Amino acid sequence: MADMESSLQEAMQIEGAVGVALVDYTSGMALGALGSSKEMDLTIAAAGNTDVVRAKLRTLEMLKLKDTIEDILITLGVQYHVIRPLTSRNTQGLFLYLVLARSRANLAMARHKLKTIEEGLQM
Amino acid sequence: MSKSSRLPLLRESLEPWCAAGVTGALRVLDPPGGVVYVVDGRIAYAETPVASGVERLLTASGRLPADAWRAAVTAGRAQHRIGPELVDAGLVTQAELESLGVIALHDAAFFLFDLVVSAHFEHRARHPVGHLRTLDLRSVCQEVDRRKRLLADAWPDAAIDTAAVLPQRRLRSQCVALTALQWEVVANADRRRSPIDLARLLGRDTFTVMLEVRRMARTGLVEPGRPGGSAAAESVATVRAKAAADMTTTALPIVQSARHARPEPAPDPPEQPAPPAGESFPHVPLPRRAIRQEPAPHPELAGMPDFRVSEQILTRLIAGLGAL
């Protein structure tokens, strides 16, 4: 069974990963984060991306799409940001937030691995 | 022990203990009461009766039956292993428990960190749930400050946190969208419960309930409520009013009001002010009452040093008992 620290460390092993956080999107707080730095303050990123997730969920609601978000991809010039809401009943309200360096990352592989980590967190 | 004549903010009182890398608990002696647990100089847990602890988050939310929690308490309390008991029984995952621990910690820290209260440090005290993730004091402070800003941005008047939540009976618009938590709040607001009461009832963290209520007030879904409600809400309102008043006055009234609070952790039989004088009933309440009443008749300057001495004695007694 995965604890938070080992799940975050596993996420940092993903090719190209430069930062990861587990975020509570009801409060916008990072429950745990690795790879935070001066250039990339993950607590600020956590709070900001909470608004992204809320806005997207709200949009889905307004469109009356009976579906859930598997992940949200934001492509920057030099980074990918991947947001993955956790879905099981006992981890609802949390999302994983992964920052990847575009030059080193394999996006398909990263998404796949993030899915595995999510499953580990909510087993 | 940690009692200072300047009475710093609680977060400042924590600094030396964190810097020294010690393990123990800083107990808040004045209302609303609470404890901050430190492990190796890092914040491990915090709790206060007005915020939702891990127990409420797990049981009141319907995540776990209360019986399952009680069984874990019975099995793990003595060894500070309530959390691991739950995980071993397969009732929660480690990551979930850690998440709830961090959420509960910040929820309590929000109410405690900026209080000017007397507190004493108890070495080696640990929380019975068991320590999960420990956090840097500075990062907890930053999160507390962020929460204060978010709340103030959503609705500037803090009185709404302790007032009864009054959803508007009629809306101007034809259609509204609510978040799941907002829905829970509206569905359970009985026009008496404050956001603090609702958070306890629903097993949600208090901060997010306060935030959603403030957001709904801003969008006109909830009236800025009337004062009143539960005792818990009242106590927060009182503490906040006192803190606001203390900002403008000297330190003296703070010390006085601190004295009126019960110095609760003193059920010690070997109490000094009560030489039984041949009495055959060594009752615990007797010395406690004596201490509580002593400063009350003269709430002026005069009682102050006495009280501090008696508190030091209490602290030493507690430390002594702990060592036994």
Side-chain angles (χ1 to χ4, degrees):
Chain A
M1 185 167 325
D3 63 16
M4 203 190 297
E5 197 67 25
S6 58
S7 297
L8 293 176
Q9 273 164 4
E10 205 181 322
M12 286 299 276
Q13 300 302 313
I14 294 173
E15 196 69 40
V18 291
V20 64
L22 180 65
V23 184
D24 171 17
Y25 72 70
T26 56
S27 65
M29 172 178 64
L31 300 171
L34 285 180
S36 206
S37 65
K38 261 191 211 117
E39 297 80 44
M40 188 72 197
D41 186 332
L42 286 172
T43 58
I44 293 174
N49 282 292
T50 291
D51 295 334
V52 173
V53 175
R54 285 175 78 104
K56 190 65 209 176
L57 286 171
R58 205 183 160 91
T59 310
L60 293 182
E61 184 63 38
M62 289 192 300
L63 291 170
K64 304 208 165 37
L65 293 176
K66 298 278 169 258
D67 205 346
T68 52
I69 300 172
E70 181 171 332
D71 60 21
I72 298 171
L73 172 66
I74 294 157
T75 309
L76 310 185
V78 294
Q79 287 180 338
Y80 292 122
H81 293 186
V82 185
I83 295 168
R84 188 177 181 94
L86 307 196
T87 47
S88 84
R89 193 171 77 93
N90 53 18
T91 49
Q92 245 172 16
L94 307 185
F95 66 84
L96 275 165
Y97 173 65
L98 178 66
V99 180
L100 299 162
R102 264 184 89 169
S103 55
R104 291 184 288 125
N106 174 336
L107 193 56
M109 184 60 85
R111 288 180 67 206
H112 175 71
K113 285 197 170 155
L114 203 58
K115 184 175 183 210
T116 316
I117 292 165
E118 183 212 334
E119 283 160 1
L121 272 171
Q122 53 200 21
M123 245 167 52
Chain B
M1 225 177 266
S2 67
K3 178 95 171 144
S4 134
S5 54
R6 268 190 63 255
L7 284 173
L9 298 179
L10 193 80
R11 63 168 84 184
E12 293 164 357
S13 316
L14 281 164
E15 274 166 20
W17 302 107
C18 289
V22 295
T23 294
L26 189 67
R27 277 183 202 282
V28 176
L29 303 177
D30 299 327
V35 190
V36 181
Y37 292 88
V38 179
V39 170
D40 300 331
R42 289 165 65 80
I43 308 297
Y45 194 62
E47 60 186 6
T48 170
V50 291
S52 300
V54 167
E55 178 186 357
R56 297 295 301 171
L57 294 177
L58 277 172
T59 59
S61 64
R63 173 71 183 88
L64 277 189
D67 287 348
W69 171 264
R70 265 182 246 123
V73 170
T74 312
R77 186 176 185 87
Q79 292 85 41
H80 312 286
R81 285 186 35 88
I82 296 173
E85 289 289 339
L86 291 169
V87 173
D88 292 349
L91 294 167
V92 298
T93 67
Q94 179 70 22
E96 183 185 7
L97 192 65
E98 290 175 357
S99 303
L100 293 177
V102 174
I103 290 169
L105 185 171
H106 285 92
D107 209 25
F110 173 82
F111 288 102
L112 295 177
F113 269 33
D114 292 322
L115 293 180
V116 177
V117 285
S118 48
H120 82 84
F121 195 82
E122 204 173 301
H123 278 281
R124 289 183 297 278
R126 285 173 166 269
H127 192 271
V129 168
H131 295 310
L132 306 157
R133 279 181 80 76
T134 59
L135 302 171
D136 189 35
L137 171 63
R138 214 185 48 192
S139 81
V140 180
C141 290
Q142 280 169 351
E143 175 63 20
V144 167
D145 294 338
R146 185 185 74 90
R147 291 178 171 210
K148 300 212 151 156
R149 280 197 307 273
L150 266 182
L151 286 172
D153 288 350
W155 183 263
D157 185 3
I160 197 171
D161 299 339
T162 52
V165 177
L166 306 175
Q168 295 284 7
R169 292 193 188 271
R170 279 205 185 77
L171 297 178
R172 285 199 198 126
S173 57
Q174 292 298 311
C175 178
V176 290
L178 298 183
T179 66
L181 180 53
Q182 288 175 339
W183 173 263
E184 275 183 62
V185 167
V186 170
N188 289 281
D190 63 353
R191 309 187 82 79
R192 276 198 300 275
R193 295 180 182 127
S194 69
I196 289 169
D197 307 317
L198 284 165
R200 278 190 65 74
L201 179 80
L202 302 171
R204 308 295 296 246
D205 73 302
T206 320
F207 162 72
T208 53
V209 173
M210 293 191 301
L211 183 61
E212 295 298 357
V213 169
R214 288 192 190 208
R215 283 176 173 160
M216 285 192 286
R218 191 174 60 183
T219 50
L221 298 176
V222 164
E223 293 171 32
R226 55 170 181 252
S230 71
E234 285 290 332
S235 83
V236 172
T238 312
V239 168
R240 283 180 172 179
K242 187 166 86 69
D246 289 347
M247 289 294 185
T248 54
T249 50
T250 60
L252 187 60
I254 304 170
V255 177
Q256 283 174 1
S257 51
R259 280 192 291 122
H260 289 296
R262 67 239 132 89
E264 53 119 280
D268 317 330
E271 196 70 80
Q272 285 208 342
E279 301 254 7
S280 56
F281 35 85
H283 269 152
V284 182
L286 208 85
R288 242 202 284 175
R289 234 178 270 144
I291 289 171
R292 200 186 309 170
Q293 280 174 356
E294 184 207 4
H298 34 246
E300 305 92 328
L301 275 158
M304 197 167 75
D306 296 354
F307 174 72
R308 215 176 294 157
V309 169
S310 72
E311 178 148 326
Q312 275 171 5
I313 292 170
L314 285 179
T315 316
R316 265 186 235 138
L317 279 171
I318 291 159
L321 282 174
L324 282 175

